[in-house]
Amino acid sequence: MSYGRALSPSPSDVSSDLDLDLEELDPNSTKKYPPSNRRSILGSDHRSSFSPHRRSSSRRSEEAGAGRGRSPSRIALRNLAMGLGGRGRSARRDDDDQEALLGGRRSSAADDSGNAPLLSRISSRLSMRSGRSTSPEPSINPAFTPSTETRTVALSGRNDGSYPPNIISNHRYTVFTFFPLTLYHEFSFFFNLYFLLVALSQIVPALRIGFLSTYIVPLVFVLTITLGKEAHDDIARRRRDAEANSEPYEVLALGVAASRPASRIRGLGKKKAGTVGTLTDDRENLRTIMKKSRDLKVGDILVLKKDQRVPADVIILKSISADVENGGDPEDGTNGEAFIRTDQLDGETDWKLRMAPALTQALPASKFETFRITASAPSREVNSFVGTLEYPGSGLPGNQDADSMLQQNIPLQYTRSQSVGLSIDNTAWANTVLASNSTTLAAIIYTGPETRAALSTSKGRSKTGLLENEINNLTKILCILTFTLSIVLVALENFGNHPNNPGVKDPDDPNEVRSGAWYVKILRFLILFSSIIPISLRVNLDMGKSAYAYFIEHDKDISGTVVRTSTIPEELGRVEYLLSDKTGTLTQNDMELKKVHVGTVSYAGEAMDEVTEFVKQGFSQANSGTELVTPSTGPAAHSSTTRTRREIGTRVRDVVLALALCHNVTPTTATEEGSTEQTTTYQASSPDEIAIVSWTESVGLRLVHRDRKGMKLMSVDTGEIVVRVKILEVFPFTSEGKRMGIVVQFLQGDTASTSKEQDLLNDDDDEGASSSADDSGDIWFYQKGADTVMSSIVASNDWLDEECGNMAREGLRTLVIGRKRLGKARYNEFSSKYKQASLLLQNRDKSMENVVQEYLENELELLGVTGVEDKLQKDVKPSLELLRNAGIKIWMLTGDKVETARCVAVSAKLVARGQYIHTISKLKRTDLAYDALEFLRNKPDCCLLIDGESLALFLEHFRNDFISLAVQLPAVVACRCTPTQKADVARLIREHTKKRICCIGDGGQASLAADFSVEQFCHLTKLLVWHGRNSYKRSAKLAQFVMHRGLVISVCQTMFSIASRFEPIALYQGWLLVGYATLYTMMPVFSLVLDRDVDERLANLYPELYKELTSGASLSYRTFFIWVLISIYQGSIIQGLSQLLIGLEHFKRMVTVSFTVLVLNELIMVAMEVTTWHMWMVIAEICTLVFFVASVPFLGDYFELEYVLTGDFVWRVAVISAVSLIPPYVVKVAGRRLRPPSYAKVQGI
């Protein structure tokens, strides 16, 4: 059998903020019941009332899904939400539907995921059905608000109907609300509202100009595209909702009539035959039914299998490994353990261990209907839960004998009522996935919008980029220009009034057309100049954003990159601040224990061989047969080594033993596909834990078994079990506590006698055995944690701080390990008080913490310190250096120590070579803080290294002064930061600078909540420097060209109106206006999204090119007014020369020439602006020109077709086009020669 370390599917955050552990809060619930040798909870021959046809079709669909490389239970879960939508669960491309705030680590602090996420709005819903159903589909009242009261759930299923249905509803609209809501949203944009008013004005005869279709068609075109996209997205959401809501789940049918057909269920509560208080029968009959996810209710007991999604928030009641079902050792399969994957909820990719309460694990499932669960009110906190499990007892008369109770499958100790505390370790929240190969029974306590996933979701919102805000300001200028121009033209006629109907010829002069009152003329001019406001601008920009997202996701160099917010890709080109986590982001989250210090000696590198030798001697059984090792067992008495070496050897052995026991790691064995050899891997909530256990194995002490009851350690040298312990308590790691501990009882004696008489891992003690320790071995409390908290817990010493500092300067993550021996009376006293605290519903956590501190966390014997290395990610050094050269100010926010953060900052090249690092730590006085600010004012080029304590002081007393100085520094490293402080820093920078900030973190949660997801940190450089730069410059050029296109035709209209004695008469009507804005110019203008000024090599070679973009020079008031002047010049030349060379008396001939020049001018202007030609740009130019020429014969209503075939037409078009295009081109070339742009300087290098 080979052993290997489990690799995480993707880097995960190892700050351990959210580590969920093996803790069992009720000490009395860890009774060691007789092991089960049942084969399965639900055997392979188990039957269901769900029809065979549907069962087989369901199975086929699952197999088909698996064949496509997907887990059948995960369908579209990355796009699903419970009720309101799930946080951290959506790897959703419909970002505008729901945006996750930073939850957990990001979640405890703010948004999309830290900071307390906001409760999402529940949209009105129209439930979709799949297949035929006779029962009405459940729905959620839009006004629903989650309960705020503690609930009591009866597992019999007889609960009141006050709980919401368990439906997933992410869609926004119903059949009746789609058009009202979408149209309201669209007309909230100024563009659309303006053109709606223009179109409606054509109903008024006095304002009618040309054909109504001229103004309706462009608006309808834009709305059709936008509404079509919205409908497509919502239909996709509905389909995902329907698929998830229709997913079948197996539910225990407790309390049903005996006449109903029953399924034979194996493994539910089987005990060893012949043992008092156990079931003698081999099977129990329980009926199960299949329910769709939307039909599940609070109190239902689910039967979950491997890779099945958890549809609601549940309490795990019972779990039996598939190894038992398949004939494996019952000892290893009935411990009530289940692993879940929570990456769709809290972002952690490591498996989490969950446990069934010992009370329900030991009982047959048929007794579950008598249980009641008291649970706290629904909450968005995914990492905490408080509840109790109450069992009323068997209810048998007191004169029943043991045989009678055995026949009813009731262990003797369960004849009386009992209650145990429930914690997060007993839960599985909605959208998590059962990862272990086991069958698990779980009771539903929260459904639909009351699940953690739903409550942790913020209200969906669409992000708007800085570029769009700038364009919006420019369009307001265009609107003012339109209104001003209309008034000026009417004023030039002295606001003349004409009493006849508008558009009717003057009877005194048949060649003149009057337009009525002066205010009517103004309105008609506003309509004529409506093309100045480019209605197609938003469509072009949105299509451009989609193209940029496509380019990013299909770039093979950054494969795996996902664009989840497609509305802001150009913002990647204007990032000025990069806020990065360290662990898992700059580092690989791939841990390796590099150094261990035992007080007098430090071991690292080749010296680890000496540790291996000490372990081999310390756990050798050559002199004691099969004797088990305990902390009090010393090395062999006849050893020839000196006394000093023996003492060091004993100390090393104790450190290794402590590290091999104090953790939350569970070994799992599996056979890889295509291989017959079994591989043992380690599963834990933190890679640190796995690294330490892997190290203990490498030096000779291997963890071979762990369950809720105990652990077994094997000597790698002999292959024999050398340590067996009973787990009495586990205290998991928390971000607040920064430590984890475990209380174990060592088994003494030889392994042979133990396996027969004293197997503590499968103890058959009667009632009360787990609430207090027996007399079989010593009890020890082990604890490891950060030096900041452990220094006050361990006994006084003179070397801890110094050694931790030395390791931190080497860039190692330090953990301090200590131990304490407990007397049995002392432990029993602790256990009693700890259980009482675990049953509290108010202040439970604080009460339990106080008990632990009183009895355990004081005067620990300091064993040693470990140093774990987290390797830097690939190409982090050149990536950070390139980003720094691109003008991006980088902040590293981490929870590590000052020395570790400094070392990583230097090694990762976050700090430039020779740059001074100014350290501010442990500030407690405001006067010292003020002095530090004064120093920073005089040292603006330094890197600031500040700890969380000092940062809190600055944010409280010198908030504005500190942030105004810090944002000017080239780099800042903030260490010992809490998640809340990280969120505060990001918010402060954004509010103070109004600049673009890029926050980057690792883990599934960060990925799912992000606007963009990359697989490696080095991919960020190409995402920003190449794709971000191109996206911004392309959007800027595209926006200006669309506005230029509208301005040119409006200037032509102005020239014609002036020549027509200031009368608002349309120059171009009908199809000419529609065609000009769409088919005649759209493809060439839009092809600018393929343009690039430099290639990727130059963009990476000269990152300074990126720095220019932060000023917004590509789209500014200066560039805008340059394009306005170009438009005025070209429009004046095109229409002015057309009128001069042809005259107004030949109106159709003049329109033929001017419109042809107008189209050719736009096509050639696009060609002149192209920096790098692309094949599709050439195709767009040629196809558009061909289409225009081909459409001329159909424009007889507007053109003089006979004139088109004459030489006069050709030379006039050529002359006017030359005069319109050549001067702007000459000015452009001259300007580039005199003041070449930066990209022109590096071209050709």
Side-chain angles (χ1 to χ4, degrees):
M1 182 182 296
S2 63
Y3 290 81
R5 176 180 169 180
L7 297 177
S8 299
S10 63
S12 63
D13 190 336
V14 295
S15 61
S16 301
D17 297 354
L18 302 177
D19 287 354
L20 304 176
D21 235 335
L22 308 176
E23 179 185 13
E24 185 169 358
L25 294 180
D26 175 32
N28 288 331
S29 67
T30 56
K31 297 179 176 66
K32 307 307 177 186
Y33 300 108
S36 167
N37 56 11
R38 288 218 180 258
R39 296 299 183 223
S40 109
I41 289 186
L42 296 174
S44 59
D45 60 345
H46 127 264
R47 302 184 303 276
S48 164
S49 63
F50 203 50
S51 70
H53 169 73
R54 297 181 69 180
R55 289 283 292 168
S56 61
S57 64
S58 173
R59 221 168 19 244
R60 285 195 298 269
S61 65
E62 291 185 3
E63 291 168 359
R68 290 190 295 270
R70 289 183 301 154
S71 172
S73 64
R74 300 183 64 171
I75 7 176
L77 289 190
R78 294 182 179 271
N79 302 322
L80 293 182
M82 290 299 299
L84 304 172
R87 173 183 62 79
R89 79 305 171 218
S90 91
R92 178 171 56 236
R93 298 179 189 271
D94 310 288
D95 311 277
D96 54 336
D97 179 35
Q98 297 274 351
E99 181 192 7
L101 290 175
L102 306 165
R105 197 174 11 262
R106 261 177 96 174
S107 102
S108 61
D111 128 73
D112 223 31
S113 272
N115 334 334
L118 302 177
L119 178 61
S120 172
R121 167 182 65 88
I122 307 178
S123 303
S124 57
R125 294 159 168 78
L126 176 65
S127 300
M128 297 184 65
R129 299 175 183 272
S130 63
R132 302 177 61 183
S133 176
T134 58
S135 59
E137 178 144 350
S139 61
I140 296 178
N141 187 337
F144 173 81
T145 55
S147 171
T148 58
E149 298 180 354
T150 299
R151 63 181 57 187
T152 299
V153 177
L155 301 192
S156 61
R158 292 186 291 270
N159 295 288
D160 59 43
S162 61
Y163 303 123
N166 189 56
I167 64 172
I168 291 172
S169 185
N170 288 321
H171 57 268
R172 292 180 170 184
Y173 312 107
T174 70
V175 173
F176 306 104
T177 63
F178 176 74
F179 283 104
L181 292 178
T182 53
L183 290 177
Y184 174 81
H185 178 263
E186 288 305 311
F187 288 123
S188 65
F189 290 98
F190 173 75
F191 286 159
N192 295 340
L193 181 61
Y194 179 85
F195 275 90
L196 175 65
L197 296 177
V198 169
L200 293 177
S201 70
Q202 298 304 289
I203 301 175
V204 182
L207 302 178
R208 186 173 300 158
I209 300 176
F211 299 102
L212 182 63
S213 60
T214 303
Y215 304 94
I216 293 294
V217 171
L219 179 63
V220 171
F221 175 75
V222 171
L223 292 179
T224 299
I225 291 179
T226 306
L227 267 65
K229 180 179 181 297
E230 191 71 19
H232 177 272
D233 292 344
D234 206 53
I235 290 173
R237 285 190 286 264
R238 282 176 169 274
R239 287 174 177 167
R240 292 192 297 269
D241 290 349
E243 186 177 10
N245 290 331
S246 300
E247 189 176 358
Y249 286 90
E250 197 163 10
V251 179
L252 284 185
L254 298 177
V256 297
S259 59
R260 301 286 294 274
S263 296
R264 184 63 61 99
I265 302 179
R266 303 182 305 174
L268 293 180
K270 179 179 177 183
K271 303 298 176 184
K272 286 183 178 179
T275 305
V276 177
T278 62
L279 177 66
T280 56
D281 189 9
D282 187 24
R283 296 166 181 264
E284 62 171 318
N285 293 327
L286 287 179
R287 180 174 172 274
T288 64
I289 59 175
M290 298 300 295
K291 281 188 177 183
K292 294 182 178 180
S293 177
R294 63 170 176 258
D295 297 326
L296 297 175
K297 301 183 182 304
V298 171
D300 284 348
I301 299 178
L302 301 174
V303 181
L304 299 173
K305 299 294 183 69
K306 178 178 172 60
D307 289 331
Q308 200 168 11
R309 179 181 72 93
V310 180
D313 289 356
V314 300
I315 296 293
I316 294 176
L317 302 177
K318 194 181 190 76
S319 180
I320 292 186
S321 170
D323 295 337
V324 178
E325 300 177 16
N326 298 327
D329 184 3
E331 171 185 329
D332 300 332
T334 58
N335 49 51
E337 295 179 349
F339 283 100
I340 61 172
R341 294 195 301 267
T342 62
D343 55 326
Q344 299 298 312
L345 184 67
D346 64 10
E348 296 296 327
T349 55
D350 296 298
W351 291 6
K352 303 294 190 302
L353 179 64
R354 295 292 187 263
M355 297 176 297
L359 185 60
T360 52
Q361 181 67 23
L363 279 175
S366 58
K367 298 300 176 184
F368 288 172
E369 63 179 321
T370 62
F371 279 82
R372 288 184 176 273
I373 294 176
T374 302
S376 55
S379 167
R380 66 183 55 153
E381 296 298 327
V382 298
N383 301 308
S384 64
F385 173 76
V386 175
T388 57
L389 180 69
E390 301 174 7
Y391 175 57
S394 64
L396 294 174
N399 57 3
Q400 291 262 348
D401 56 18
D403 291 339
S404 174
M405 286 184 285
L406 285 175
Q407 293 174 5
Q408 299 187 49
N409 195 28
I410 303 174
L412 292 175
Q413 61 264 42
Y414 293 114
T415 57
R416 298 198 309 268
S417 62
Q418 299 184 47
S419 64
V420 296
L422 298 175
S423 70
I424 185 67
D425 292 335
N426 308 117
T427 65
W429 301 140
N431 283 347
T432 59
V433 177
L434 184 64
S436 55
N437 189 18
S438 61
T439 301
T440 300
L441 300 185
I444 297 177
I445 54 173
Y446 307 117
T447 54
E450 292 187 334
T451 60
R452 293 301 203 266
L455 294 176
S456 299
T457 303
S458 64
K459 180 178 179 179
R461 65 181 180 92
S462 297
K463 289 189 175 181
T464 303
L466 185 60
L467 181 73
E468 290 197 20
N469 295 332
E470 294 169 345
I471 292 175
N472 190 51
N473 292 332
L474 296 180
T475 55
K476 292 176 181 177
I477 295 176
L478 291 176
C479 183
I480 295 173
L481 177 63
T482 302
F483 190 73
T484 302
L485 184 59
S486 302
I487 295 177
V488 168
L489 290 177
V490 175
L492 290 175
E493 201 189 7
N494 298 319
F495 294 97
N497 292 316
H498 300 277
N500 58 301
N501 292 328
V504 178
K505 292 182 178 181
D506 190 337
D508 298 330
D509 187 354
N511 294 324
E512 295 292 333
V513 180
R514 302 299 183 183
S515 299
W518 63 269
Y519 54 84
V520 175
K521 288 185 178 182
I522 293 177
L523 293 177
R524 286 172 64 83
F525 273 124
L526 285 173
I527 295 170
L528 284 174
F529 297 143
S530 61
S531 57
I532 292 180
I533 312 297
I535 188 175
S536 60
L537 180 57
R538 279 193 63 234
V539 174
N540 279 274
L541 289 177
D542 287 346
M543 292 171 61
K545 295 173 191 292
S546 299
Y548 308 146
Y550 177 85
F551 298 152
I552 292 172
E553 293 187 333
H554 289 78
D555 189 331
K556 295 181 180 179
D557 293 337
I558 53 173
S559 60
T561 301
V562 179
V563 180
R564 293 197 169 88
T565 304
S566 61
T567 58
I568 56 172
E570 63 276 345
E571 297 301 291
L572 293 172
R574 306 180 70 176
V575 173
E576 295 190 47
Y577 293 91
L578 175 65
L579 274 59
S580 174
D581 187 19
K582 180 186 77 69
T583 305
T585 304
L586 298 178
T587 58
Q588 295 182 20
N589 205 13
D590 183 11
M591 309 294 182
E592 182 180 358
L593 193 147
K594 288 288 189 179
K595 192 173 186 180
V596 60
H597 193 282
V598 296
T600 55
V601 183
S602 180
Y603 297 95
E606 295 181 356
M608 289 297 184
D609 294 338
E610 191 172 352
V611 175
T612 303
E613 186 62 29
F614 282 134
V615 171
K616 183 177 180 181
Q617 295 176 7
F619 292 93
S620 172
Q621 300 175 345
N623 302 301
S624 54
T626 56
E627 183 181 355
L628 293 174
V629 179
T630 68
S632 58
T633 304
H638 66 279
S639 173
S640 60
T641 56
T642 66
R643 176 177 176 82
T644 302
R645 182 170 176 81
R646 285 202 304 270
E647 291 176 349
I648 294 176
T650 301
R651 195 169 188 83
V652 169
R653 189 210 62 171
D654 287 342
V655 169
V656 174
L657 179 60
L659 293 174
L661 293 175
C662 186
H663 53 73
N664 65 352
V665 178
T666 299
T668 59
T669 303
T671 303
E672 296 183 0
E673 186 176 354
S675 174
T676 58
E677 186 177 7
Q678 287 190 325
T679 301
T680 296
T681 58
Y682 295 126
Q683 292 294 340
S685 300
S686 169
D688 298 71
E689 301 271 69
I690 297 177
I692 291 174
V693 174
S694 298
W695 177 80
T696 63
E697 178 182 346
S698 69
V699 296
L701 194 60
R702 176 183 296 161
L703 174 68
V704 293
H705 173 81
R706 184 205 179 113
D707 57 22
R708 65 188 300 155
K709 303 173 184 177
M711 283 182 279
K712 301 176 186 177
L713 304 181
M714 182 179 74
S715 170
V716 175
D717 179 48
T718 64
E720 298 289 336
I721 301 297
V722 293
V723 177
R724 294 167 69 93
V725 297
K726 175 181 180 180
I727 297 177
L728 301 179
E729 300 291 347
V730 176
F731 311 102
F733 189 99
T734 64
S735 58
E736 296 79 15
K738 297 182 180 179
R739 60 192 183 275
M740 74 86 58
I742 186 171
V743 178
V744 297
Q745 185 174 29
F746 284 84
L747 178 62
Q748 294 179 325
D750 62 79
T751 57
S753 62
T754 298
S755 61
K756 296 178 182 179
E757 301 172 9
Q758 292 182 314
D759 188 348
L760 292 179
L761 303 189
N762 298 280
D763 195 357
D764 287 339
D765 292 344
D766 56 11
E767 182 180 8
S770 62
S771 61
S772 59
D774 56 33
D775 296 326
S776 59
D778 296 334
I779 300 174
W780 288 84
F781 169 60
Y782 289 98
Q783 189 170 60
K784 67 181 179 188
D787 59 297
T788 53
V789 295
M790 291 296 293
S791 59
S792 61
I793 296 177
V794 298
S796 59
N797 60 88
D798 56 0
W799 60 269
L800 178 60
D801 292 341
E802 179 182 357
E803 189 57 34
C804 287
N806 293 337
M807 289 188 181
R809 280 185 283 275
E810 297 177 26
L812 302 178
R813 299 161 58 94
T814 58
L815 281 176
V816 178
I817 183 76
R819 68 178 182 179
K820 182 177 185 178
R821 187 170 184 173
L822 301 176
K824 292 181 176 56
R826 179 74 170 173
Y827 172 75
N828 289 336
E829 183 181 350
F830 157 78
S831 178
S832 176
K833 290 190 176 182
Y834 191 70
K835 180 183 178 181
Q836 294 176 11
S838 71
L839 294 176
L840 298 176
L841 290 179
Q842 300 294 330
N843 299 320
R844 175 189 292 184
D845 292 342
K846 185 63 176 177
S847 300
M848 295 169 68
E849 180 182 345
N850 291 338
V851 174
V852 171
Q853 290 178 351
E854 177 184 355
Y855 285 89
L856 304 181
E857 292 183 339
N858 53 74
E859 293 300 315
L860 266 66
E861 176 190 353
L862 177 59
L863 293 177
V865 181
T866 63
V868 177
E869 179 188 50
D870 190 0
K871 303 172 185 176
L872 290 177
Q873 283 209 17
K874 175 186 175 184
D875 294 335
V876 161
K877 297 179 182 180
S879 297
L880 287 175
E881 191 169 4
L882 187 147
L883 293 174
R884 191 172 60 248
N885 292 335
I888 298 176
K889 296 178 174 64
I890 304 172
W891 290 44
M892 184 175 78
L893 311 177
T894 177
D896 283 332
K897 290 182 287 300
V898 173
E899 294 80 3
T900 305
R902 176 195 291 270
C903 180
V904 172
V906 172
S907 62
K909 296 298 177 68
L910 177 67
V911 179
R913 185 176 303 169
Q915 185 177 11
Y916 172 69
I917 302 177
H918 181 60
T919 303
I920 301 177
S921 63
K922 299 182 179 179
L923 278 185
K924 295 181 174 63
R925 292 164 44 188
T926 56
D927 58 331
L928 296 178
Y930 182 81
D931 293 341
L933 289 177
E934 288 299 315
F935 179 87
L936 289 177
R937 286 192 178 95
N938 299 320
K939 197 74 174 177
D941 59 343
C942 71
C943 170
L944 173 63
L945 176 60
I946 185 170
D947 66 356
E949 183 180 1
S950 304
L951 178 62
L953 183 66
F954 279 117
L955 294 181
E956 181 180 357
H957 297 286
F958 304 100
R959 194 180 190 89
N960 293 330
D961 291 339
F962 171 76
I963 202 67
S964 62
L965 287 174
V967 295
Q968 299 176 22
L969 300 176
V972 176
V973 178
C975 51
R976 292 300 190 194
C977 283
T978 65
T980 303
Q981 285 178 324
K982 294 179 182 180
D984 287 342
V985 168
R987 191 181 305 110
L988 274 175
I989 297 176
R990 183 177 64 248
E991 294 174 353
H992 182 81
T993 65
K994 309 298 181 185
K995 303 293 185 181
R996 300 295 93 178
I997 302 174
C998 175
C999 301
I1000 180 170
D1002 73 302
Q1005 171 194 336
S1007 172
L1008 299 177
D1011 299 313
F1012 303 87
S1013 297
V1014 294
E1015 291 188 344
Q1016 298 182 38
F1017 183 86
C1018 61
H1019 290 176
L1020 184 65
T1021 57
K1022 186 170 187 180
L1023 187 65
L1024 298 183
V1025 175
W1026 176 243
H1027 288 290
R1029 183 175 185 275
N1030 285 341
S1031 298
Y1032 171 64
K1033 292 187 71 71
R1034 289 165 175 172
S1035 286
K1037 184 179 289 187
L1038 178 63
Q1040 292 176 127
F1041 238 101
V1042 172
M1043 289 187 283
H1044 163 264
R1045 182 177 63 188
L1047 279 168
V1048 168
I1049 195 172
S1050 298
V1051 173
C1052 291
Q1053 175 65 55
T1054 303
M1055 295 295 294
F1056 177 72
S1057 297
I1058 293 173
S1060 302
R1061 300 183 182 181
F1062 310 106
E1063 288 297 333
I1065 302 172
L1067 173 61
Y1068 307 120
Q1069 299 182 11
W1071 169 252
L1072 295 185
L1073 277 179
V1074 176
Y1076 175 76
T1078 54
L1079 299 180
Y1080 294 154
T1081 59
M1082 185 177 68
M1083 286 179 58
V1085 172
F1086 184 71
S1087 69
L1088 291 172
V1089 301
L1090 301 172
D1091 192 21
R1092 54 185 174 86
D1093 52 5
V1094 295
D1095 59 25
E1096 183 180 346
R1097 180 184 66 85
L1098 290 177
N1100 289 323
L1101 188 61
Y1102 298 98
E1104 293 80 6
L1105 294 172
Y1106 182 89
K1107 189 186 302 185
E1108 296 179 339
L1109 306 184
T1110 57
S1111 63
S1114 297
L1115 179 62
S1116 61
Y1117 289 114
R1118 176 179 174 273
T1119 60
F1120 169 73
F1121 284 111
I1122 288 176
W1123 277 101
V1124 170
L1125 292 176
I1126 294 174
S1127 302
I1128 292 174
Y1129 169 78
Q1130 292 184 330
S1132 301
I1133 292 298
I1134 292 171
Q1135 185 58 29
L1137 290 182
S1138 296
Q1139 293 173 179
L1140 289 175
L1141 296 177
I1142 300 174
L1144 294 177
E1145 63 275 9
H1146 302 290
F1147 180 77
K1148 292 185 69 174
R1149 183 175 297 181
M1150 180 195 66
V1151 169
T1152 304
V1153 172
S1154 65
F1155 189 80
T1156 301
V1157 175
L1158 191 64
V1159 173
L1160 293 177
N1161 179 83
E1162 204 63 23
L1163 296 181
I1164 297 173
M1165 281 293 292
V1166 170
M1168 289 168 53
E1169 287 298 315
V1170 171
T1171 306
T1172 305
W1173 283 93
H1174 188 278
M1175 177 186 67
W1176 288 108
M1177 301 171 80
V1178 177
I1179 293 175
E1181 290 273 337
I1182 296 175
C1183 289
T1184 300
L1185 180 60
V1186 170
F1187 181 82
F1188 173 70
V1189 173
S1191 67
V1192 169
F1194 302 98
L1195 301 178
D1197 292 341
Y1198 315 104
F1199 283 9
E1200 188 176 314
L1201 298 181
E1202 296 81 2
Y1203 182 68
V1204 173
L1205 301 176
T1206 65
D1208 288 346
F1209 170 79
V1210 175
W1211 76 260
R1212 283 176 171 81
V1213 168
V1215 168
I1216 297 173
S1217 297
V1219 176
S1220 171
L1221 291 166
I1222 292 177
Y1225 179 75
V1226 171
V1227 173
K1228 175 184 176 183
V1229 172
R1232 180 167 175 171
R1233 290 290 178 87
L1234 296 175
R1235 298 181 59 186
S1238 298
Y1239 72 85
K1241 297 177 183 178
V1242 301
Q1243 282 179 336
I1245 297 178

